[in-house]
Amino acid sequence: MANDKFTSSHNLRLPSSPLCLQEAFCHLGVVWRGASSVGDWRIEEEDLQSNWPRNLPALVLRGEHDYISKDLVAPFVEGIARAEYAELAGLSHMAHLEDPRRFLSTLDVGTHATPLR
């Protein structure tokens, strides 16, 4: 019950999962191994600063209710020289499914940038 409440608040804020997502989850363990498969993956700000091409922009997006916290995206925003940050109000981790038009309009880099903190 608590897991369902967390998921409906921070992963997908829709009354039901879209068919494309249901089909993707049918392949769990075959194609996509879930978040636990990258549980020990880490990125450090220094790695981004030394490895990300200086002239390549990046747009770091997260939903307001995303389970990916601001602290987790901070290394990307602060470590990539031309990074822009955008937070999508009222949306969660799957913002592209919750409000596709707003998500796509946000991809216009530089028009929706917001301070990380």
Side-chain angles (χ1 to χ4, degrees):
M1 177 103 162
N3 188 44
D4 291 341
K5 186 172 182 173
F6 177 87
T7 298
S8 66
S9 295
H10 303 292
N11 192 45
L12 180 65
R13 295 171 72 90
L14 292 175
S16 62
S17 293
L19 182 59
C20 62
L21 188 60
Q22 293 175 31
E23 289 173 351
F25 283 134
C26 287
H27 298 286
L28 183 65
V30 177
V31 176
W32 183 72
R33 292 183 176 83
S36 62
S37 66
V38 294
D40 61 347
W41 184 83
R42 295 181 57 91
I43 189 75
E44 300 295 334
E45 192 174 325
E46 297 79 29
D47 294 331
L48 288 167
Q49 290 171 346
S50 62
N51 295 316
W52 192 273
R54 306 262 337 133
N55 62 343
L56 183 64
L59 178 61
V60 180
L61 293 172
R62 66 177 291 279
E64 175 186 12
H65 303 288
D66 204 320
Y67 62 84
I68 304 297
S69 69
K70 289 181 183 181
D71 289 339
L72 289 174
V73 301
F76 294 93
V77 176
E78 296 162 5
I80 298 173
R82 294 186 57 204
E84 298 281 348
Y85 171 75
E87 183 174 286
L88 301 169
L91 302 180
S92 65
H93 187 69
M94 295 194 187
H96 61 292
L97 297 175
E98 295 169 19
D99 192 340
R101 286 186 181 181
R102 186 155 44 121
F103 177 83
L104 290 172
S105 72
T106 305
L107 296 181
D108 186 10
V109 177
T111 61
H112 297 281
T114 56
L116 180 61
R117 302 203 189 266

